[in-house]
Amino acid sequence: MSLVNLPLIKLSNPDASLPGLFLMELNNGAENRFTIQFVSEIMQALDYIDQALDNIPEEEAQKGGALITTSQGKFYSNGLAIEAAMRDGDAFYIPFMAMLSRLLTFRLPTVAAINGHAFAGGCMFALAHDVRVMRSDRGWIAMNEIDLGIPLMPGMAAIVRCKINQPSYLRDCVLAGQRFKASDAVAGGFVDKAVSEDQLRDTAMYFAKQMAQKARGLNQVVHLLKAEMYRDTVELLLNGGTSPGSYMQAKL
């Protein structure tokens, strides 16, 4: 059932028997690059979910819920709209990092169904989910800022660091810009399942429904657990600023 149709985001309930289950489809052109409008519409969709959850009857709320995000075609997301980010500076980066923080600590379990390439900001967006399912036959997940000559903001580095926690994989991701196919990302522990394209959404739905049971009551428990589990990352996303390495200067 369709719930929200924004220019760049579509939100639906893919299973009427589970009203707390939501599917967010990214629809910002072929590459789903993050712009100020795209970020704003994601936040609007999350606002809608929050309000909807508060109005689900108690009996239905006991079934729990989850959020799946995905897209179609070659890209899950090809990252930030770089020219706009460089032009707008803090007006671009601060809302983007606030959106990552909100998704990272969202009150529902979240599943990224990665249908294609997830580069840079698209990789961060995927990492902000609780579970990642990735298409095995096409697509890479990567942080390619080193090849672009762009340092990571404190909060951006933090979200990569908290989800890619094997040192060699983190090094290769950030300092080598390695493009990981799905099976390699599974081996590195930052993608949970690699599946064929025709199994992607069904597998994401399986994970979502399994995790939905842990959100029984649709209250704030999941949000608060995540907020404390990822506290250091959240603090850097929201309050770490936009000057990479500035903490070192403060100590000199």
Side-chain angles (χ1 to χ4, degrees):
M1 179 176 66
S2 179
L3 300 172
V4 173
N5 279 294
L6 298 170
L8 309 180
I9 292 290
K10 293 182 179 180
L11 187 68
S12 61
N13 167 241
D15 185 343
S17 70
L18 186 56
L21 180 65
F22 298 88
L23 174 67
M24 183 190 297
E25 296 178 83
L26 312 177
N27 190 35
N28 189 16
E31 296 187 359
N32 285 319
R33 285 190 178 269
F34 288 98
T35 61
I36 290 175
Q37 180 185 352
F38 195 26
V39 168
S40 175
E41 289 192 14
I42 292 170
M43 293 290 266
Q44 289 177 57
L46 296 177
D47 286 341
Y48 177 92
I49 295 171
D50 260 331
Q51 293 170 10
L53 293 176
D54 288 339
N55 289 295
I56 291 176
E58 179 62 27
E59 183 176 346
E60 295 294 317
Q62 288 305 313
K63 298 177 182 179
L67 168 65
I68 301 167
T69 71
T70 194
S71 189
Q72 298 181 8
K74 183 178 179 180
F75 288 94
Y76 177 70
S77 171
N78 200 18
L80 307 185
I82 294 297
E83 291 183 1
M86 299 300 288
R87 179 189 67 235
D88 297 332
D90 284 6
F92 187 104
Y93 287 112
I94 290 174
F96 176 71
M97 289 190 287
M99 181 270 292
L100 292 179
S101 174
R102 187 169 185 195
L103 185 59
L104 183 67
T105 62
F106 199 58
R107 65 192 282 189
L108 292 179
T110 55
V111 182
I114 306 171
N115 55 284
H117 302 310
F119 291 144
C123 175
M124 296 177 222
F125 184 76
L127 292 175
H129 293 69
D130 300 314
V131 170
R132 283 157 294 285
V133 179
M134 186 173 175
R135 182 176 166 184
S136 59
D137 54 325
R138 184 177 188 179
W140 292 299
I141 185 167
M143 294 292 295
N144 58 343
E145 279 78 2
I146 193 163
D147 296 318
L148 299 173
I150 300 173
L152 291 171
M153 307 295 177
M156 294 177 174
I159 201 166
V160 176
R161 190 168 61 245
C162 84
K163 293 298 182 83
I164 304 179
N165 45 43
Q166 292 190 37
S168 62
Y169 281 89
L170 180 62
R171 176 200 64 208
D172 291 346
C173 179
V174 176
L175 298 182
Q178 181 170 330
R179 296 181 174 190
F180 296 94
K181 60 185 181 181
S183 59
D184 293 333
V186 170
F190 55 97
V191 164
D192 296 274
K193 190 82 171 178
V195 298
S196 61
E197 180 184 16
D198 62 349
Q199 296 178 321
L200 183 69
R201 291 203 181 192
D202 286 346
T203 305
M205 188 71 68
Y206 170 80
F207 276 107
K209 288 185 174 181
Q210 289 293 308
M211 298 177 69
Q213 301 169 29
K214 298 299 183 181
R216 287 188 298 272
L218 300 177
N219 50 39
Q220 296 293 328
V221 171
V222 171
H223 162 66
L224 294 172
L225 286 169
K226 294 182 192 179
E228 292 303 329
M229 183 163 63
Y230 301 124
R231 182 171 182 170
D232 293 345
T233 298
V234 171
E235 288 180 345
L236 286 171
L237 282 166
L238 296 180
N239 303 309
T242 56
S243 299
S246 59
Y247 77 97
M248 298 179 70
Q249 297 298 320
K251 293 182 178 181
L252 292 178

